[in-house]
Amino acid sequence: MLEKVDLEKSVDKESYKRVSDELSARLGVLQRKCKAEKIPVIIVFEGLDAAGKGVQINRLIKPLDPRGFDVYASRKAGEEERMRPFLWRYWIKTPENGRIAIFDKSWYSRVTEERFYRRIKSGELEGAFGDILSFEKQLTDGGCVIIKLFLYISREEQKKRFKKLSESRETAWRVSEADWKRNREYDKYLAMNEEMLQRTDTGHAPWTIIEATDKNYAAMKIMATVADRLEYELGQREEEKTDTARRLHAPIPADRFKNGALSGADLSKSLKPGEYRGELDKLQKRLEYLHSEIYRLRIPVVIGFEGWDAAGKGGAIRRLTSHLDPRGYKVNPTAAPNDVERVHHYLWRFWNNMPKAGHIAIFDRTWYGRVMVERIEGFCREEDWRRAYQEINEMEAHMANFGAVVLKFWLHIDKDEQEKRFKERMEDPAKQWKITDEDWRNREKWDAYETAVNEMLVRTSTTYAPWTIVEGNSKYYARVKVVKTVVKALEQKIKEVEKENRR
């Protein structure tokens, strides 16, 4: 992509002034339209050192309403960021609907700078490219516009700019030994950037090469690129409004997943009170020890609970956490999204609560609401929940690639047991708050939910993030199975990590 770029392109001041004034007016209008249409926009500035990213960001935002954008300068990851998957710090900064997020360097540092300095292992590079591609696809499928700009200058121009900066006391700090090293090894670093551009240039998030030798020419091209793309995307939204019949997938027969994994669950399994107390006590003490071990080895753990209403998720979570150090875990109850969460990508709120290395995040209901309640109740389009299976698998794979243990539990009870528990709650003043009219209404859609759950289990139970169906008619049996499953998974992961550390 870079070999045929003409770095001598320039524009005279008079032409630049005239064209930039026109583009500024367009950009102001387009920002307001994107806000009105609730379109989130991400603009990525990447490129070679001293290519002028800071200058060009300032020129781009000048005609924009400052209340409608945020600028993020991405530098070397700090301790908090290093303890999480590398995309975490970018996911939490993705813009809400109608806003613009501008990144001065971005997630691409993972496959350029970190690769150049060998901070990323060769075996991790392929995974990083895959994670980046899925990240951008998820955002654009969710309605975000991603505009990626690569500012390009020659080795000689870069060296000249470094020297000029170094000669002034006020700017010398901006040129580091690392910058000079990349200039000395310009061809090597450029080749890594060329590979990055080729592998991540997609139809939904294409790269635009900016010839940055002449700063006025670069500014004019950047403004034109952003304006043209926003106009195109606004036009696409208008077309989509009239195309209400569009579907991304062929319909799946309604009964295809009717008799799935849930039908094979043996709900007669149970434990006697004495067996329950003895086994649970032993498992909880073991879990207490394993919790300290995962902290020592910096192993993150993600545990998701789904299940029928009144299936015992809360009771299982309480038994799971009773012996854990409260400083090392967090339980995240998931309700309907609030006003802030609704204007972001549906996975945004879960990324915000993913654990750092050595900690446990427990989710009482999860991101799987997308393919259950949102699907059944019509809170999202059919193409959205169908696409979500892959998006969820990719998110969980990213966590697993970071070294996380990812476990998911479906607490299963039959319809009669649920009715019994509902009635018990209604009769107990201390538990009446747990039962709502919505719970009773959901029972009327039991068959539809069962089909959705069976499909979810088939499509999202993976080797790196398996589902465990917990037979829950017996609360004792269910609680023990949950804790036992977690203990087994942590023991296995600890063995793997210690084996790897000994190499």
Side-chain angles (χ1 to χ4, degrees):
M1 295 177 70
L2 299 175
E3 58 185 17
K4 296 182 179 179
V5 174
D6 180 4
L7 291 175
E8 300 305 315
K9 287 184 177 179
S10 63
V11 63
D12 61 80
K13 290 183 179 180
E14 185 177 332
S15 298
Y16 167 71
K17 178 69 168 60
R18 174 177 51 80
V19 174
S20 65
D21 286 347
E22 295 171 359
L23 289 169
S24 294
R26 282 176 65 195
L27 285 169
V29 172
L30 290 167
Q31 182 191 20
R32 291 190 290 274
K33 287 184 176 180
C34 286
K35 181 180 179 180
E37 293 295 322
K38 296 181 170 54
I39 299 174
V41 179
I42 292 177
I43 304 174
V44 173
F45 280 78
E46 285 287 351
L48 301 178
D49 301 302
K53 292 183 288 294
V55 170
Q56 299 303 342
I57 289 172
N58 284 330
R59 292 194 184 188
L60 176 64
I61 65 176
K62 191 174 181 180
L64 302 180
D65 184 339
R67 297 168 296 181
F69 66 81
D70 298 287
V71 178
Y72 301 105
S74 301
R75 295 294 179 255
K76 187 177 179 181
E79 182 180 359
E80 186 77 6
E81 295 161 334
R82 287 195 300 273
M83 294 181 71
R84 288 185 167 89
F86 85 93
L87 284 176
W88 171 81
R89 61 170 169 155
Y90 302 108
W91 257 110
I92 64 174
K93 293 182 176 72
T94 53
E96 65 183 64
N97 296 341
R99 289 187 66 83
I100 299 172
I102 300 170
F103 288 88
D104 176 4
K105 306 192 76 168
S106 66
W107 41 94
Y108 284 101
S109 297
R110 179 71 168 169
V111 293
T112 53
E113 284 188 27
E114 291 189 36
R115 180 183 181 186
F116 180 77
Y117 291 109
R118 298 181 181 178
R119 297 187 193 123
I120 179 173
K121 299 176 183 177
S122 58
E124 297 174 335
L125 185 64
E126 287 301 313
F129 274 117
D131 288 337
I132 288 169
L133 289 171
S134 66
F135 170 60
E136 293 180 350
K137 187 69 163 58
Q138 288 176 20
L139 290 175
T140 55
D141 283 346
C144 185
V145 176
I146 300 180
I147 303 171
K148 300 187 300 192
L149 308 166
F150 186 88
L151 278 63
Y152 182 30
I153 56 176
S154 68
R155 181 202 300 238
E156 293 73 23
E157 179 66 21
Q158 184 184 64
K159 187 175 182 179
K160 183 176 76 173
R161 294 185 183 185
F162 281 171
K163 284 185 175 180
K164 184 176 180 180
L165 290 168
S166 300
E167 289 168 357
S168 171
R169 181 185 303 175
E170 288 77 15
T171 57
W173 61 272
R174 294 170 56 186
V175 185
S176 66
E177 176 53 36
D179 294 325
W180 283 112
K181 177 178 172 61
R182 288 193 290 273
N183 181 258
R184 290 192 298 270
E185 300 182 42
Y186 179 93
D187 291 339
K188 176 183 176 181
Y189 189 57
L190 187 67
M192 292 178 179
N193 280 273
E194 173 71 25
E195 181 182 354
M196 176 270 287
L197 292 169
Q198 292 178 356
R199 296 185 63 170
T200 60
D201 186 50
T202 60
H204 54 271
W207 281 103
T208 298
I209 308 301
I210 305 298
E211 301 87 344
T213 305
D214 182 295
K215 293 181 181 180
N216 286 342
Y217 177 85
M220 195 170 66
K221 184 170 182 177
I222 289 168
M223 295 171 74
T225 299
V226 173
D228 290 347
R229 180 69 183 282
L230 294 182
E231 283 183 344
Y232 170 79
E233 293 292 344
L234 285 162
Q236 289 293 104
R237 300 307 195 274
E238 286 300 316
E239 290 182 15
E240 288 177 8
K241 287 180 183 178
T242 62
D243 188 13
T244 56
R246 183 173 61 90
R247 290 292 180 267
L248 298 181
H249 303 270
I252 294 176
D255 61 350
R256 178 175 172 184
F257 294 97
K258 186 176 179 63
N259 297 313
L262 295 182
S263 62
D266 181 2
L267 294 177
S268 66
K269 291 182 177 180
S270 63
L271 279 178
K272 295 178 180 179
E275 295 174 314
Y276 163 71
R277 284 189 289 270
E279 192 162 359
L280 183 63
D281 183 61
K282 180 177 65 176
L283 289 167
Q284 287 173 330
K285 288 177 180 176
R286 179 62 177 165
L287 188 59
E288 183 177 11
Y289 166 75
L290 294 173
H291 193 199
S292 65
E293 285 296 281
I294 65 168
Y295 182 80
R296 177 178 67 85
L297 296 170
R298 290 291 186 260
I299 299 171
V301 181
V302 178
I303 304 174
F305 284 86
E306 292 286 358
W308 299 109
D309 294 325
K313 293 182 290 297
I317 291 171
R318 283 196 296 275
R319 274 67 184 184
L320 182 63
T321 60
S322 68
H323 284 53
L324 302 182
D325 186 330
R327 296 168 296 180
Y329 75 88
K330 181 181 178 182
V331 177
N332 303 284
T334 301
N338 59 34
D339 291 344
V340 174
E341 294 164 341
R342 267 195 297 271
V343 295
H344 284 88
H345 191 282
Y346 75 97
L347 291 177
W348 175 83
R349 60 173 171 157
F350 301 108
W351 271 102
N352 271 270
N353 288 303
M354 286 300 174
K356 58 185 178 182
H359 290 245
I360 300 174
I362 298 170
F363 292 87
D364 181 1
R365 297 202 180 276
T366 69
W367 39 96
Y368 284 98
R370 188 69 159 187
V371 295
M372 288 191 293
V373 64
E374 291 186 39
R375 166 184 174 172
I376 302 302
E377 305 299 337
F379 296 151
C380 66
R381 300 174 304 172
E382 182 178 345
E383 54 262 38
D384 293 332
W385 65 256
R386 288 188 184 278
R387 189 178 62 243
Y389 298 116
Q390 180 177 346
E391 294 173 338
I392 288 169
N393 284 339
E394 289 171 346
M395 180 185 74
E396 293 171 354
H398 189 50
M399 295 302 301
N401 290 339
F402 179 61
V405 176
V406 183
L407 296 172
K408 302 171 304 195
F409 294 100
W410 175 264
L411 271 67
H412 189 43
I413 57 176
D414 61 35
K415 208 170 181 180
D416 291 339
E417 179 65 22
Q418 185 188 63
E419 184 178 18
K420 173 187 167 187
R421 295 184 185 182
F422 277 9
K423 289 180 178 178
E424 288 175 351
R425 289 180 175 183
M426 292 183 71
E427 293 168 1
D428 185 346
K431 294 184 178 180
Q432 285 175 354
W433 64 272
K434 290 185 175 183
I435 188 75
T436 66
D437 291 340
E438 186 178 351
D439 294 327
W440 286 105
R441 285 196 300 270
N442 287 343
R443 276 179 59 80
E444 299 174 5
K445 300 179 181 179
W446 181 284
D447 291 343
Y449 273 99
E450 187 170 29
T451 297
V453 171
N454 278 322
E455 182 171 1
M456 173 191 77
L457 295 172
V458 168
R459 294 187 180 277
T460 61
S461 190
T462 59
T463 56
Y464 52 83
W467 276 103
T468 299
I469 298 175
V470 179
E471 301 85 347
N473 273 13
S474 166
K475 292 182 179 180
Y476 289 166
Y477 179 86
R479 293 166 184 172
V480 167
K481 181 169 182 177
V482 166
V483 181
K484 184 182 292 185
T485 303
V486 174
V487 165
K488 184 178 178 181
L490 296 187
E491 287 177 337
Q492 179 62 33
K493 185 64 176 182
I494 288 168
K495 286 180 182 177
E496 293 173 1
V497 172
E498 289 185 327
K499 183 179 178 180
E500 181 66 25
N501 289 345
R502 287 194 295 269
R503 289 180 181 174

Coordinates of all heavy atoms in Angstrom, one line a residue, residues 405-452:
V405 N -9.6 -17.7 32.8 CA -10.5 -18.9 32.8 C -11.9 -18.3 32.6 O -12.3 -17.4 33.3 CB -10.4 -19.5 34.2 CG1 -11.5 -20.7 34.4 CG2 -9.0 -20.1 34.5
V406 N -12.6 -18.9 31.6 CA -14.0 -18.4 31.3 C -14.9 -19.6 31.5 O -14.9 -20.6 30.8 CB -14.1 -17.8 29.9 CG1 -15.5 -17.3 29.7 CG2 -13.0 -16.8 29.7
L407 N -15.9 -19.4 32.5 CA -16.8 -20.5 32.8 C -18.2 -19.9 32.7 O -18.5 -18.7 33.1 CB -16.6 -21.0 34.2 CG -15.3 -21.7 34.4 CD1 -15.1 -22.0 35.9 CD2 -15.2 -23.0 33.6
K408 N -19.2 -20.7 32.2 CA -20.6 -20.2 32.1 C -21.5 -21.3 32.6 O -21.4 -22.5 32.2 CB -20.8 -19.9 30.6 CG -19.9 -18.8 30.0 CD -20.0 -18.6 28.5 CE -19.8 -19.9 27.7 NZ -19.6 -19.7 26.3
F409 N -22.4 -20.9 33.4 CA -23.4 -21.9 34.0 C -24.8 -21.6 33.6 O -25.2 -20.4 33.7 CB -23.3 -21.8 35.5 CG -22.0 -22.3 36.1 CD1 -21.0 -21.4 36.5 CD2 -21.7 -23.7 36.2 CE1 -19.8 -21.8 37.0 CE2 -20.5 -24.1 36.7 CZ -19.5 -23.2 37.1
W410 N -25.5 -22.6 33.1 CA -26.9 -22.5 32.9 C -27.6 -23.3 34.0 O -27.5 -24.5 34.1 CB -27.4 -23.0 31.5 CG -28.9 -23.0 31.4 CD1 -29.7 -24.0 31.7 CD2 -29.7 -21.9 31.1 NE1 -31.0 -23.6 31.5 CE2 -31.1 -22.3 31.2 CE3 -29.4 -20.5 30.8 CZ2 -32.1 -21.4 30.9 CZ3 -30.5 -19.7 30.6 CH2 -31.8 -20.1 30.6
L411 N -28.3 -22.6 34.9 CA -29.0 -23.3 36.0 C -30.4 -23.7 35.5 O -31.2 -22.9 35.2 CB -29.1 -22.4 37.3 CG -27.9 -22.5 38.2 CD1 -26.6 -22.0 37.5 CD2 -28.2 -21.8 39.5
H412 N -30.6 -25.0 35.5 CA -31.8 -25.6 34.8 C -32.7 -26.2 35.8 O -32.3 -27.0 36.7 CB -31.3 -26.7 33.8 CG -32.4 -27.1 32.9 ND1 -33.3 -26.3 32.4 CD2 -32.7 -28.4 32.5 CE1 -34.2 -27.0 31.6 NE2 -33.8 -28.3 31.7
I413 N -34.0 -25.8 35.8 CA -35.1 -26.4 36.6 C -36.2 -26.7 35.6 O -36.3 -26.1 34.5 CB -35.5 -25.5 37.7 CG1 -36.0 -24.2 37.2 CG2 -34.4 -25.4 38.8 CD1 -36.5 -23.2 38.3
D414 N -37.2 -27.5 36.0 CA -38.3 -27.7 35.2 C -39.4 -26.7 35.5 O -39.4 -26.0 36.5 CB -38.8 -29.2 35.2 CG -39.3 -29.6 36.6 OD1 -39.8 -28.8 37.4 OD2 -39.1 -30.8 37.0
K415 N -40.5 -26.7 34.7 CA -41.5 -25.7 34.8 C -42.3 -25.9 36.2 O -42.7 -24.9 36.8 CB -42.5 -25.9 33.6 CG -43.2 -24.6 33.3 CD -43.9 -24.7 31.9 CE -44.5 -23.4 31.5 NZ -45.3 -23.5 30.2
D416 N -42.5 -27.1 36.6 CA -43.2 -27.3 37.8 C -42.4 -26.8 39.0 O -43.0 -26.2 40.0 CB -43.5 -28.8 38.0 CG -44.5 -29.3 37.0 OD1 -45.3 -28.5 36.4 OD2 -44.6 -30.6 36.7
E417 N -41.1 -27.1 39.0 CA -40.3 -26.6 40.1 C -40.2 -25.1 40.2 O -40.3 -24.5 41.3 CB -38.8 -27.1 40.0 CG -37.9 -26.7 41.0 CD -38.2 -27.2 42.4 OE1 -38.9 -28.3 42.5 OE2 -37.7 -26.6 43.4
Q418 N -40.2 -24.5 39.0 CA -40.2 -23.0 39.0 C -41.5 -22.5 39.6 O -41.5 -21.5 40.4 CB -40.1 -22.5 37.5 CG -40.0 -21.0 37.5 CD -40.0 -20.4 36.1 OE1 -41.0 -20.6 35.4 NE2 -38.9 -19.8 35.6
E419 N -42.7 -23.1 39.2 CA -44.0 -22.6 39.8 C -44.0 -22.8 41.3 O -44.5 -21.9 42.0 CB -45.1 -23.4 39.1 CG -46.5 -22.9 39.6 CD -47.6 -23.7 38.9 OE1 -47.4 -24.8 38.4 OE2 -48.8 -23.2 38.9
K420 N -43.5 -23.9 41.8 CA -43.4 -24.1 43.2 C -42.6 -23.0 43.9 O -43.0 -22.5 44.9 CB -42.8 -25.5 43.4 CG -42.5 -25.8 44.9 CD -41.8 -27.1 45.0 CE -41.2 -27.3 46.4 NZ -40.3 -28.5 46.5
R421 N -41.4 -22.7 43.3 CA -40.6 -21.7 43.9 C -41.2 -20.3 43.9 O -41.1 -19.5 44.8 CB -39.2 -21.7 43.3 CG -38.4 -23.0 43.6 CD -37.0 -22.9 43.0 NE -36.4 -24.2 43.2 CZ -35.1 -24.5 42.8 NH1 -34.4 -23.5 42.2 NH2 -34.6 -25.7 43.0
F422 N -41.9 -20.0 42.8 CA -42.6 -18.7 42.6 C -43.6 -18.6 43.8 O -43.7 -17.5 44.4 CB -43.3 -18.6 41.3 CG -42.4 -18.2 40.1 CD1 -41.1 -18.1 40.3 CD2 -43.0 -17.9 38.9 CE1 -40.2 -17.7 39.2 CE2 -42.2 -17.5 37.8 CZ -40.8 -17.4 38.0
K423 N -44.4 -19.6 44.0 CA -45.5 -19.5 45.0 C -44.9 -19.4 46.4 O -45.4 -18.7 47.3 CB -46.3 -20.8 44.9 CG -47.2 -20.8 43.7 CD -48.1 -22.1 43.6 CE -49.0 -22.1 42.4 NZ -49.8 -23.3 42.3
E424 N -43.7 -20.1 46.6 CA -43.1 -20.0 47.9 C -42.6 -18.6 48.2 O -42.7 -18.0 49.3 CB -41.9 -21.0 48.0 CG -42.3 -22.4 48.1 CD -41.1 -23.3 48.0 OE1 -40.0 -22.8 47.7 OE2 -41.2 -24.6 48.3
R425 N -42.1 -17.9 47.1 CA -41.6 -16.5 47.2 C -42.8 -15.6 47.5 O -42.7 -14.7 48.3 CB -40.9 -16.1 46.0 CG -39.6 -16.8 45.8 CD -38.9 -16.3 44.5 NE -37.5 -16.8 44.4 CZ -36.7 -16.5 43.4 NH1 -37.0 -15.7 42.5 NH2 -35.4 -17.0 43.4
M426 N -43.9 -15.8 46.9 CA -45.1 -15.0 47.1 C -45.6 -15.1 48.5 O -46.2 -14.1 49.1 CB -46.2 -15.3 46.1 CG -45.8 -14.9 44.7 SD -47.1 -15.3 43.5 CE -48.3 -14.0 43.9
E427 N -45.5 -16.2 49.1 CA -46.0 -16.5 50.5 C -45.0 -16.1 51.6 O -45.4 -16.0 52.8 CB -46.3 -18.0 50.6 CG -47.5 -18.4 49.7 CD -47.6 -19.9 49.6 OE1 -46.8 -20.6 50.3 OE2 -48.5 -20.4 48.9
D428 N -43.8 -15.8 51.2 CA -42.7 -15.4 52.2 C -42.5 -13.9 52.1 O -41.9 -13.5 51.1 CB -41.5 -16.2 51.9 CG -40.4 -16.0 53.0 OD1 -40.5 -15.0 53.8 OD2 -39.4 -16.8 53.0
P429 N -42.8 -13.2 53.1 CA -42.6 -11.7 53.1 C -41.2 -11.3 52.9 O -40.9 -10.3 52.3 CB -43.1 -11.2 54.5 CG -44.0 -12.3 54.9 CD -43.5 -13.6 54.4
A430 N -40.2 -12.1 53.3 CA -38.8 -11.8 53.1 C -38.4 -12.0 51.7 O -37.3 -11.6 51.3 CB -38.0 -12.7 54.1
K431 N -39.2 -12.8 50.9 CA -38.7 -13.1 49.6 C -39.7 -12.6 48.5 O -39.5 -12.8 47.3 CB -38.6 -14.6 49.4 CG -37.5 -15.3 50.2 CD -37.4 -16.8 49.9 CE -36.3 -17.4 50.7 NZ -36.2 -18.8 50.5
Q432 N -40.7 -11.8 48.9 CA -41.7 -11.4 47.9 C -41.1 -10.4 46.9 O -41.5 -10.3 45.8 CB -42.8 -10.7 48.6 CG -43.8 -11.6 49.3 CD -44.9 -10.9 50.1 OE1 -44.9 -9.7 50.3 NE2 -45.8 -11.7 50.7
W433 N -40.0 -9.7 47.3 CA -39.4 -8.8 46.4 C -38.7 -9.5 45.2 O -38.4 -8.9 44.2 CB -38.3 -8.0 47.1 CG -37.2 -8.8 47.7 CD1 -37.1 -9.5 48.9 CD2 -35.9 -9.1 47.0 NE1 -35.9 -10.2 49.0 CE2 -35.2 -10.0 47.9 CE3 -35.4 -8.8 45.8 CZ2 -33.9 -10.5 47.6 CZ3 -34.1 -9.3 45.5 CH2 -33.4 -10.1 46.3
K434 N -38.5 -10.8 45.4 CA -37.8 -11.6 44.3 C -38.8 -11.9 43.1 O -38.3 -12.3 42.1 CB -37.2 -12.9 44.9 CG -36.0 -12.7 45.8 CD -35.5 -14.0 46.2 CE -34.2 -13.9 47.0 NZ -33.6 -15.2 47.3
I435 N -40.1 -11.8 43.4 CA -41.0 -12.2 42.3 C -41.8 -11.0 41.8 O -42.2 -10.2 42.5 CB -42.0 -13.3 42.9 CG1 -42.9 -13.9 41.8 CG2 -42.8 -12.7 44.1 CD1 -42.2 -14.9 41.0
T436 N -41.9 -11.0 40.5 CA -42.6 -9.8 39.8 C -43.6 -10.4 38.8 O -43.6 -11.6 38.5 CB -41.6 -8.9 39.1 OG1 -41.0 -9.7 38.0 CG2 -40.5 -8.5 40.0
D437 N -44.4 -9.5 38.3 CA -45.4 -9.9 37.3 C -44.7 -10.3 36.0 O -45.2 -11.2 35.3 CB -46.3 -8.7 37.0 CG -47.3 -8.3 38.1 OD1 -47.5 -9.2 39.0 OD2 -47.8 -7.2 38.2
E438 N -43.5 -9.7 35.8 CA -42.7 -10.1 34.6 C -42.3 -11.6 34.7 O -42.2 -12.3 33.7 CB -41.5 -9.2 34.4 CG -40.7 -9.4 33.2 CD -39.6 -8.5 33.0 OE1 -39.5 -7.5 33.8 OE2 -38.8 -8.7 32.1
D439 N -41.9 -12.0 35.9 CA -41.5 -13.4 36.0 C -42.7 -14.4 35.6 O -42.5 -15.4 34.9 CB -41.2 -13.7 37.5 CG -39.9 -12.9 37.9 OD1 -39.0 -12.7 37.1 OD2 -39.8 -12.5 39.1
W440 N -43.9 -14.0 36.0 CA -45.0 -14.9 35.6 C -45.3 -14.8 34.1 O -45.6 -15.8 33.5 CB -46.3 -14.4 36.4 CG -46.3 -14.8 37.8 CD1 -46.0 -14.0 38.9 CD2 -46.5 -16.2 38.4 NE1 -46.1 -14.8 40.1 CE2 -46.4 -16.1 39.8 CE3 -46.8 -17.4 37.8 CZ2 -46.5 -17.2 40.6 CZ3 -46.9 -18.5 38.6 CH2 -46.8 -18.4 40.0
R441 N -45.1 -13.6 33.6 CA -45.3 -13.4 32.1 C -44.3 -14.3 31.3 O -44.6 -14.8 30.3 CB -45.2 -12.0 31.7 CG -46.5 -11.2 32.1 CD -46.5 -9.8 31.3 NE -45.3 -9.0 31.6 CZ -45.3 -8.1 32.6 NH1 -46.3 -8.0 33.4 NH2 -44.2 -7.4 32.8
N442 N -43.1 -14.3 31.8 CA -42.0 -15.0 31.1 C -42.3 -16.5 31.1 O -41.9 -17.2 30.1 CB -40.7 -14.8 31.8 CG -40.1 -13.4 31.5 OD1 -40.5 -12.7 30.6 ND2 -39.1 -13.0 32.3
R443 N -43.0 -17.0 32.1 CA -43.4 -18.5 32.1 C -44.3 -18.8 30.8 O -44.2 -19.9 30.3 CB -44.2 -18.8 33.3 CG -43.3 -19.1 34.5 CD -44.1 -19.4 35.7 NE -45.0 -20.6 35.6 CZ -44.7 -21.9 35.6 NH1 -43.4 -22.2 35.9 NH2 -45.6 -22.8 35.5
E444 N -45.0 -17.8 30.4 CA -45.9 -18.1 29.2 C -45.1 -18.3 27.9 O -45.5 -18.8 26.9 CB -46.9 -16.9 29.0 CG -47.8 -16.8 30.2 CD -48.7 -15.5 30.1 OE1 -48.6 -14.8 29.0 OE2 -49.4 -15.2 31.1
K445 N -43.8 -17.8 28.0 CA -42.9 -18.0 26.8 C -41.8 -19.0 27.0 O -40.8 -19.0 26.4 CB -42.3 -16.6 26.5 CG -43.3 -15.5 26.2 CD -42.6 -14.2 25.9 CE -43.6 -13.1 25.6 NZ -43.0 -11.8 25.3
W446 N -42.1 -19.9 27.9 CA -41.1 -21.0 28.3 C -40.6 -21.7 27.1 O -39.4 -21.8 26.9 CB -41.8 -21.9 29.3 CG -40.8 -23.0 29.7 CD1 -40.4 -24.1 29.0 CD2 -40.2 -23.1 31.0 NE1 -39.6 -24.9 29.8 CE2 -39.4 -24.3 31.0 CE3 -40.2 -22.3 32.1 CZ2 -38.6 -24.7 32.1 CZ3 -39.4 -22.7 33.2 CH2 -38.6 -23.9 33.2
D447 N -41.5 -22.1 26.2 CA -41.0 -22.9 25.0 C -40.1 -22.1 24.1 O -39.1 -22.6 23.6 CB -42.2 -23.4 24.2 CG -43.0 -24.5 25.0 OD1 -42.5 -25.0 25.9 OD2 -44.2 -24.7 24.6
A448 N -40.4 -20.8 23.9 CA -39.6 -19.9 23.1 C -38.2 -19.7 23.7 O -37.2 -19.8 23.0 CB -40.3 -18.6 22.9
Y449 N -38.2 -19.5 25.0 CA -36.9 -19.4 25.7 C -36.1 -20.6 25.7 O -34.9 -20.6 25.5 CB -37.2 -18.9 27.2 CG -37.3 -17.4 27.3 CD1 -38.5 -16.8 27.4 CD2 -36.1 -16.6 27.4 CE1 -38.6 -15.4 27.6 CE2 -36.2 -15.3 27.5 CZ -37.5 -14.7 27.6 OH -37.6 -13.3 27.7
E450 N -36.8 -21.8 25.8 CA -36.1 -23.1 25.8 C -35.4 -23.3 24.5 O -34.2 -23.7 24.4 CB -37.0 -24.2 26.1 CG -36.3 -25.6 26.3 CD -37.3 -26.6 26.8 OE1 -38.5 -26.5 26.5 OE2 -36.8 -27.5 27.5
T451 N -36.1 -22.9 23.4 CA -35.5 -23.0 22.0 C -34.3 -22.1 21.9 O -33.2 -22.5 21.4 CB -36.5 -22.7 21.0 OG1 -37.6 -23.6 21.0 CG2 -35.9 -22.7 19.6
A452 N -34.4 -20.9 22.4 CA -33.3 -19.9 22.4 C -32.1 -20.4 23.2 O -31.0 -20.2 22.8 CB -33.8 -18.5 22.8

